[in-house]
Amino acid sequence: MSKKYRLCISAKDVAIILDLSPRQAQRKYQQAKDAYGKSKHQPLTVREFAAYYGLPLVDVIDRL
């Protein structure tokens, strides 16, 4: 059975991926959401996060 990956990313995940403090990760997460015009209730996807910060999607998934 293949490994399943999450569709959405959280600020906590951003802290792990970018090695940031929780507050800095929240800011980065919010910046990406604002760039995509997401509302408060709309989550950010892993693909959107990787594209916004110019990170390879495979590397982001590996760090989750």
Side-chain angles (χ1 to χ4, degrees):
M1 182 175 225
S2 65
K3 186 175 179 180
K4 297 199 179 209
Y5 299 103
R6 288 184 291 156
L7 177 63
C8 299
I9 195 167
S10 69
K12 197 176 214 178
D13 296 327
V14 174
I16 293 167
I17 293 166
L18 298 178
D19 194 29
L20 299 172
S21 72
R23 183 64 188 128
Q24 288 175 318
Q26 286 175 343
R27 283 190 201 109
K28 295 277 188 188
Y29 181 80
Q30 193 59 51
Q31 284 176 344
K33 276 187 71 168
D34 290 345
Y36 284 103
K38 299 268 185 169
S39 299
K40 188 175 183 178
H41 70 278
Q42 294 175 309
L44 187 66
T45 67
V46 175
R47 187 178 305 272
E48 289 169 338
F49 172 79
Y52 182 74
Y53 285 104
L55 301 170
L57 184 59
V58 175
D59 292 342
V60 171
I61 291 172
D62 287 343
R63 303 249 353 223
L64 289 177

